[in-house]
Amino acid sequence: MDAVDVTRSRRFSVAPMMDWTDRHCRLFHRALTGRALLYTEMVTTGAVRFGPRERLLGFSPEEQPVAVQLGGSEPAELAEAARICEGFGYAEINLNVGCPSDRVQDGRFGACLMAEPVRVADGVAAMKAAVQVPVTVKCRIGIDDQDPELALDELADAVLAAGCDALIVHARKAWLKGLSPRENRDVPPLDYDRVFRLKARRPEAHISINGGIGSLAEAEALLRPRAGVALDGIMLGRAAYQNPELLLGVDAAIFGAAAPHEDARSAVESLFPAIADHLAAGGRLSNVTRHMLGLFPGQPGARAYRRLLSVEGPKAGAGLDVLRAALDLVRERGSLGAPAEAAA
Protein backbone atom coordinates (compact mmCIF):
# COMPACT_ATOMS: atom_id res chain seq x y z
CA MET A 1 0.00 0.00 0.00
CA ASP A 2 1.68 3.21 -1.09
CA ALA A 3 1.21 6.76 0.11
CA VAL A 4 -0.95 7.75 -2.86
CA ASP A 5 -3.49 5.02 -2.08
CA VAL A 6 -3.57 5.98 1.59
CA THR A 7 -4.06 9.64 0.74
CA ARG A 8 -7.09 8.77 -1.34
CA SER A 9 -8.50 6.43 1.29
CA ARG A 10 -8.05 9.14 3.93
CA ARG A 11 -10.98 10.93 2.28
CA PHE A 12 -13.12 8.81 4.63
CA SER A 13 -11.74 6.94 7.62
CA VAL A 14 -13.09 5.06 10.61
CA ALA A 15 -11.56 6.37 13.82
CA PRO A 16 -9.34 4.40 16.18
CA MET A 17 -11.56 3.38 19.12
CA MET A 18 -10.32 1.56 22.20
CA ASP A 19 -11.93 -1.85 22.76
CA TRP A 20 -13.77 -1.54 19.45
CA THR A 21 -11.60 -1.30 16.32
CA ASP A 22 -9.78 -4.60 16.68
CA ARG A 23 -8.92 -6.89 13.77
CA HIS A 24 -12.39 -8.51 13.76
CA CYS A 25 -14.10 -5.15 13.67
CA ARG A 26 -11.87 -3.94 10.84
CA LEU A 27 -12.47 -7.04 8.71
CA PHE A 28 -16.21 -6.55 9.22
CA HIS A 29 -16.00 -2.87 8.28
CA ARG A 30 -13.94 -3.77 5.21
CA ALA A 31 -16.79 -5.98 4.02
CA LEU A 32 -18.95 -2.83 4.07
CA THR A 33 -16.50 -0.36 2.50
CA GLY A 34 -13.65 -1.29 0.22
CA ARG A 35 -12.15 2.21 0.09
CA ALA A 36 -12.17 3.81 3.55
CA LEU A 37 -9.03 3.97 5.67
CA LEU A 38 -9.40 1.86 8.82
CA TYR A 39 -7.53 2.36 12.09
CA THR A 40 -6.36 0.08 14.86
CA GLU A 41 -7.06 0.75 18.49
CA MET A 42 -4.36 2.90 20.05
CA VAL A 43 -1.36 0.82 21.09
CA THR A 44 1.42 2.25 23.23
CA THR A 45 5.04 2.30 22.19
CA GLY A 46 5.90 0.16 25.20
CA ALA A 47 3.38 -2.50 24.21
CA VAL A 48 4.70 -2.53 20.65
CA ARG A 49 8.30 -2.82 21.77
CA PHE A 50 7.89 -5.34 24.58
CA GLY A 51 4.41 -6.87 24.32
CA PRO A 52 2.91 -9.79 22.36
CA ARG A 53 3.28 -8.22 18.94
CA GLU A 54 1.29 -10.68 16.87
CA ARG A 55 -1.70 -10.37 19.17
CA LEU A 56 -1.43 -6.59 19.31
CA LEU A 57 -0.48 -5.83 15.73
CA GLY A 58 -1.36 -8.81 13.56
CA PHE A 59 -4.00 -8.27 10.92
CA SER A 60 -5.31 -9.75 7.70
CA PRO A 61 -4.17 -8.31 4.35
CA GLU A 62 -7.86 -8.11 3.42
CA GLU A 63 -8.22 -5.26 5.94
CA GLN A 64 -5.95 -2.92 4.00
CA PRO A 65 -5.58 0.01 3.91
CA VAL A 66 -5.06 0.04 7.70
CA ALA A 67 -3.32 2.66 9.85
CA VAL A 68 -1.88 1.89 13.26
CA GLN A 69 -2.28 4.48 16.00
CA LEU A 70 0.58 4.82 18.46
CA GLY A 71 0.54 6.35 21.93
CA GLY A 72 3.85 7.70 23.13
CA SER A 73 6.00 10.78 23.49
CA GLU A 74 9.66 9.73 23.41
CA PRO A 75 11.05 10.21 19.87
CA ALA A 76 13.41 7.22 19.98
CA GLU A 77 10.66 4.93 21.28
CA LEU A 78 8.20 6.22 18.68
CA ALA A 79 10.74 5.58 15.93
CA GLU A 80 11.38 2.03 17.10
CA ALA A 81 7.66 1.30 17.42
CA ALA A 82 6.98 2.82 13.99
CA ARG A 83 9.63 0.56 12.41
CA ILE A 84 8.06 -2.48 14.01
CA CYS A 85 4.58 -1.48 12.82
CA GLU A 86 5.83 -0.82 9.30
CA GLY A 87 7.28 -4.31 9.35
CA PHE A 88 3.82 -5.70 10.04
CA GLY A 89 2.60 -4.01 6.86
CA TYR A 90 0.60 -1.04 8.11
CA ALA A 91 -0.11 1.60 5.50
CA GLU A 92 0.22 4.56 7.88
CA ILE A 93 1.57 5.39 11.35
CA ASN A 94 -0.64 7.77 13.36
CA LEU A 95 0.33 9.51 16.59
CA ASN A 96 -2.35 10.02 19.25
CA VAL A 97 -2.44 13.61 20.51
CA GLY A 98 -6.11 13.55 21.44
CA CYS A 99 -6.95 10.92 24.07
CA PRO A 100 -7.86 12.58 27.40
CA SER A 101 -7.83 9.60 29.78
CA ASP A 102 -5.94 9.77 33.09
CA ARG A 103 -3.91 6.68 32.20
CA VAL A 104 -2.76 8.31 28.99
CA GLN A 105 -1.87 11.55 30.76
CA ASP A 106 0.15 9.63 33.34
CA GLY A 107 2.14 8.17 30.47
CA ARG A 108 2.70 11.67 29.03
CA PHE A 109 0.95 11.07 25.76
CA GLY A 110 -2.44 11.69 24.20
CA ALA A 111 -4.17 15.07 24.48
CA CYS A 112 -1.78 16.44 27.10
CA LEU A 113 0.80 16.67 24.29
CA MET A 114 -1.18 19.58 22.85
CA ALA A 115 0.82 21.59 25.41
CA GLU A 116 4.13 20.30 23.97
CA PRO A 117 4.10 20.91 20.21
CA VAL A 118 7.90 20.75 19.96
CA ARG A 119 7.96 17.31 21.58
CA VAL A 120 5.24 16.11 19.20
CA ALA A 121 7.18 17.47 16.24
CA ASP A 122 10.34 15.70 17.44
CA GLY A 123 8.38 12.45 17.60
CA VAL A 124 7.03 12.94 14.09
CA ALA A 125 10.49 13.73 12.74
CA ALA A 126 11.92 10.61 14.38
CA MET A 127 9.21 8.41 12.89
CA LYS A 128 9.57 10.00 9.46
CA ALA A 129 13.27 9.18 9.54
CA ALA A 130 12.54 5.60 10.54
CA VAL A 131 9.81 4.55 8.09
CA GLN A 132 8.74 4.94 4.48
CA VAL A 133 4.98 4.93 5.06
CA PRO A 134 3.09 8.16 5.89
CA VAL A 135 3.19 9.51 9.44
CA THR A 136 0.12 11.42 10.63
CA VAL A 137 -1.17 13.06 13.81
CA LYS A 138 -4.65 13.02 15.37
CA CYS A 139 -5.21 15.89 17.78
CA ARG A 140 -7.77 18.17 19.46
CA ILE A 141 -8.18 21.91 18.87
CA GLY A 142 -6.75 22.52 22.34
CA ILE A 143 -6.86 21.48 25.97
CA ASP A 144 -8.15 23.10 29.15
CA ASP A 145 -7.58 26.88 29.11
CA GLN A 146 -5.61 26.95 25.86
CA ASP A 147 -6.79 29.35 23.17
CA PRO A 148 -7.67 27.04 20.24
CA GLU A 149 -6.62 29.70 17.75
CA LEU A 150 -3.08 29.59 19.09
CA ALA A 151 -2.83 25.98 20.29
CA LEU A 152 -3.96 24.32 17.09
CA ASP A 153 -1.82 26.55 14.88
CA GLU A 154 1.26 25.93 17.03
CA LEU A 155 0.82 22.18 16.93
CA ALA A 156 -0.02 22.10 13.23
CA ASP A 157 2.92 24.29 12.25
CA ALA A 158 5.33 22.23 14.33
CA VAL A 159 4.29 18.80 13.06
CA LEU A 160 3.92 19.90 9.44
CA ALA A 161 7.43 21.35 9.55
CA ALA A 162 8.60 17.98 10.87
CA GLY A 163 7.11 16.21 7.84
CA CYS A 164 3.68 15.14 9.09
CA ASP A 165 1.71 13.81 6.12
CA ALA A 166 -1.76 14.62 7.46
CA LEU A 167 -3.44 16.13 10.49
CA ILE A 168 -6.76 14.72 11.72
CA VAL A 169 -8.45 17.22 14.02
CA HIS A 170 -11.12 16.28 16.55
CA ALA A 171 -12.95 19.60 16.46
CA ARG A 172 -13.38 20.16 20.18
CA LYS A 173 -11.20 20.82 23.18
CA ALA A 174 -10.22 18.14 25.65
CA TRP A 175 -10.69 19.16 29.27
CA LEU A 176 -8.10 17.16 31.19
CA LYS A 177 -9.22 18.68 34.49
CA GLY A 178 -12.83 18.17 35.44
CA LEU A 179 -14.23 15.97 32.67
CA SER A 180 -14.07 12.20 32.24
CA PRO A 181 -12.94 10.65 28.94
CA ARG A 182 -16.59 9.86 28.16
CA GLU A 183 -17.65 13.46 28.86
CA ASN A 184 -14.79 14.71 26.70
CA ARG A 185 -16.44 13.04 23.71
CA ASP A 186 -19.60 15.11 24.07
CA VAL A 187 -19.43 18.02 26.52
CA PRO A 188 -16.86 20.42 25.04
CA PRO A 189 -18.58 22.23 22.15
CA LEU A 190 -17.72 21.33 18.58
CA ASP A 191 -16.00 24.00 16.51
CA TYR A 192 -15.86 22.82 12.91
CA ASP A 193 -15.12 26.35 11.73
CA ARG A 194 -11.80 26.24 13.60
CA VAL A 195 -10.71 23.31 11.44
CA PHE A 196 -11.74 25.15 8.27
CA ARG A 197 -9.69 28.16 9.43
CA LEU A 198 -6.68 25.89 9.85
CA LYS A 199 -7.13 24.56 6.32
CA ALA A 200 -7.48 28.09 4.97
CA ARG A 201 -4.23 29.03 6.70
CA ARG A 202 -2.39 25.87 5.62
CA PRO A 203 -4.01 25.01 2.25
CA GLU A 204 -1.11 22.77 1.23
CA ALA A 205 -1.60 20.44 4.19
CA HIS A 206 -3.89 17.42 4.28
CA ILE A 207 -6.46 18.25 6.97
CA SER A 208 -9.21 15.82 8.01
CA ILE A 209 -11.99 16.55 10.49
CA ASN A 210 -13.41 14.35 13.26
CA GLY A 211 -15.88 14.72 16.11
CA GLY A 212 -19.64 14.52 16.44
CA ILE A 213 -20.31 13.47 12.85
CA GLY A 214 -23.42 11.34 13.12
CA SER A 215 -24.25 10.30 9.57
CA LEU A 216 -22.95 9.95 6.05
CA ALA A 217 -24.99 13.01 5.06
CA GLU A 218 -23.21 15.08 7.71
CA ALA A 219 -19.87 13.76 6.47
CA GLU A 220 -20.69 14.76 2.89
CA ALA A 221 -21.74 18.21 4.06
CA LEU A 222 -18.43 18.76 5.84
CA LEU A 223 -16.55 17.80 2.69
CA ARG A 224 -18.27 20.58 0.76
CA PRO A 225 -16.29 23.85 0.55
CA ARG A 226 -17.01 26.69 2.95
CA ALA A 227 -16.10 30.13 1.65
CA GLY A 228 -13.85 28.45 -0.89
CA VAL A 229 -12.10 26.24 1.68
CA ALA A 230 -12.44 22.47 1.36
CA LEU A 231 -11.22 19.88 3.85
CA ASP A 232 -9.40 16.81 2.62
CA GLY A 233 -11.05 14.09 4.67
CA ILE A 234 -13.63 12.96 7.20
CA MET A 235 -13.19 10.60 10.12
CA LEU A 236 -16.21 8.94 11.75
CA GLY A 237 -16.05 7.15 15.07
CA ARG A 238 -19.03 6.06 17.14
CA ALA A 239 -21.57 6.61 14.36
CA ALA A 240 -19.74 4.18 12.09
CA TYR A 241 -19.41 1.61 14.87
CA GLN A 242 -22.90 1.84 16.31
CA ASN A 243 -24.62 1.97 12.91
CA PRO A 244 -22.17 0.10 10.67
CA GLU A 245 -24.67 -0.16 7.84
CA LEU A 246 -23.93 3.45 6.95
CA LEU A 247 -20.54 2.24 5.74
CA LEU A 248 -22.32 0.48 2.86
CA GLY A 249 -22.92 3.93 1.37
CA VAL A 250 -19.41 5.28 1.75
CA ASP A 251 -17.81 3.95 -1.41
CA ALA A 252 -20.53 5.36 -3.66
CA ALA A 253 -21.00 8.69 -1.85
CA ILE A 254 -17.36 9.52 -1.11
CA PHE A 255 -15.31 7.59 -3.66
CA GLY A 256 -17.70 7.17 -6.60
CA ALA A 257 -17.28 3.40 -6.48
CA ALA A 258 -19.51 0.39 -5.87
CA ALA A 259 -19.80 -1.05 -2.37
CA PRO A 260 -18.19 -4.47 -1.81
CA HIS A 261 -21.63 -6.03 -1.18
CA GLU A 262 -25.18 -5.09 -1.98
CA ASP A 263 -26.50 -5.35 1.57
CA ALA A 264 -25.51 -6.05 5.14
CA ARG A 265 -26.44 -9.72 5.05
CA SER A 266 -24.22 -10.50 2.08
CA ALA A 267 -21.40 -8.56 3.72
CA VAL A 268 -21.70 -10.68 6.86
CA GLU A 269 -21.96 -13.91 4.87
CA SER A 270 -18.73 -13.04 3.05
CA LEU A 271 -16.99 -13.25 6.42
CA PHE A 272 -18.12 -16.82 7.17
CA PRO A 273 -14.79 -18.41 6.06
CA ALA A 274 -12.76 -15.98 8.21
CA ILE A 275 -15.08 -16.56 11.17
CA ALA A 276 -14.75 -20.32 10.72
CA ASP A 277 -10.96 -19.99 10.78
CA HIS A 278 -11.18 -17.89 13.96
CA LEU A 279 -13.37 -20.49 15.65
CA ALA A 280 -11.08 -23.31 14.55
CA ALA A 281 -8.17 -21.48 16.16
CA GLY A 282 -10.00 -21.42 19.50
CA GLY A 283 -11.66 -18.02 19.25
CA ARG A 284 -15.22 -17.24 20.29
CA LEU A 285 -18.02 -16.23 18.00
CA SER A 286 -18.70 -13.13 20.09
CA ASN A 287 -15.19 -11.83 19.36
CA VAL A 288 -16.57 -11.11 15.90
CA THR A 289 -20.31 -10.70 16.33
CA ARG A 290 -20.10 -8.09 19.11
CA HIS A 291 -19.13 -5.65 16.36
CA MET A 292 -22.25 -6.55 14.33
CA LEU A 293 -24.93 -5.75 16.92
CA GLY A 294 -25.68 -2.38 15.35
CA LEU A 295 -26.81 -3.86 12.03
CA PHE A 296 -30.37 -3.62 10.71
CA PRO A 297 -31.49 -0.53 12.66
CA GLY A 298 -35.26 -0.12 12.58
CA GLN A 299 -35.89 -3.35 10.70
CA PRO A 300 -38.33 -6.01 11.92
CA GLY A 301 -36.40 -8.73 13.67
CA ALA A 302 -33.44 -6.53 14.58
CA ARG A 303 -34.11 -6.74 18.31
CA ALA A 304 -34.37 -10.54 18.19
CA TYR A 305 -31.17 -10.62 16.10
CA ARG A 306 -29.30 -8.61 18.72
CA ARG A 307 -30.71 -10.65 21.58
CA LEU A 308 -29.69 -13.98 20.06
CA LEU A 309 -26.15 -12.84 19.33
CA SER A 310 -25.77 -11.20 22.74
CA VAL A 311 -26.98 -14.27 24.64
CA GLU A 312 -25.67 -17.16 22.55
CA GLY A 313 -22.62 -15.62 20.88
CA PRO A 314 -20.40 -15.52 24.00
CA LYS A 315 -21.09 -19.14 24.93
CA ALA A 316 -18.34 -21.70 24.52
CA GLY A 317 -18.94 -23.71 21.37
CA ALA A 318 -21.15 -21.10 19.66
CA GLY A 319 -20.62 -21.43 15.93
CA LEU A 320 -21.72 -20.08 12.61
CA ASP A 321 -25.10 -21.68 13.11
CA VAL A 322 -25.84 -19.05 15.77
CA LEU A 323 -24.98 -16.22 13.39
CA ARG A 324 -27.01 -17.76 10.59
CA ALA A 325 -30.00 -18.14 12.91
CA ALA A 326 -29.68 -14.51 14.00
CA LEU A 327 -29.57 -13.31 10.39
CA ASP A 328 -32.60 -15.44 9.58
CA LEU A 329 -34.60 -13.65 12.26
CA VAL A 330 -34.25 -10.47 10.25
CA ARG A 331 -34.74 -12.09 6.86
CA GLU A 332 -37.94 -13.84 7.86
CA ARG A 333 -39.57 -10.76 9.34
CA GLY A 334 -38.46 -7.99 7.01
CA SER A 335 -36.61 -7.27 3.79
CA LEU A 336 -32.91 -6.62 4.25
CA GLY A 337 -31.50 -3.38 2.96
CA ALA A 338 -34.81 -1.54 2.91
CA PRO A 339 -36.14 0.70 5.70
CA ALA A 340 -38.89 -0.86 7.75
CA GLU A 341 -42.01 0.97 8.87
CA ALA A 342 -41.55 -0.08 12.49
CA ALA A 343 -38.85 -1.73 14.56
CA ALA A 344 -39.49 -5.08 16.16
Side-chain angles (χ1 to χ4, degrees), residues 71 130 261 266 280:
H261 298 94
S266 59

Side-chain angles (χ1 to χ4, degrees), residues 1 5-6 9 30 34-39 63-67 91:
M1 181 61 56
D5 290 332
V6 177
S9 293
R30 184 57 71 214
R35 303 301 179 96
L37 179 61
L38 305 180
Y39 278 77
E63 298 170 39
Q64 288 281 28
V66 185

Side-chain angles (χ1 to χ4, degrees), residues 326-342:
L327 291 169
D328 286 345
L329 289 169
V330 185
R331 182 179 62 185
E332 292 169 359
R333 299 171 63 183
S335 174
L336 291 182
E341 293 182 2

Side-chain angles (χ1 to χ4, degrees), residues 161-181:
C164 178
D165 293 286
L167 194 62
I168 303 102
V169 184
H170 185 152
R172 65 173 107 230
K173 272 189 174 185
W175 284 94
L176 306 183
K177 303 171 185 176
L179 292 181
S180 69

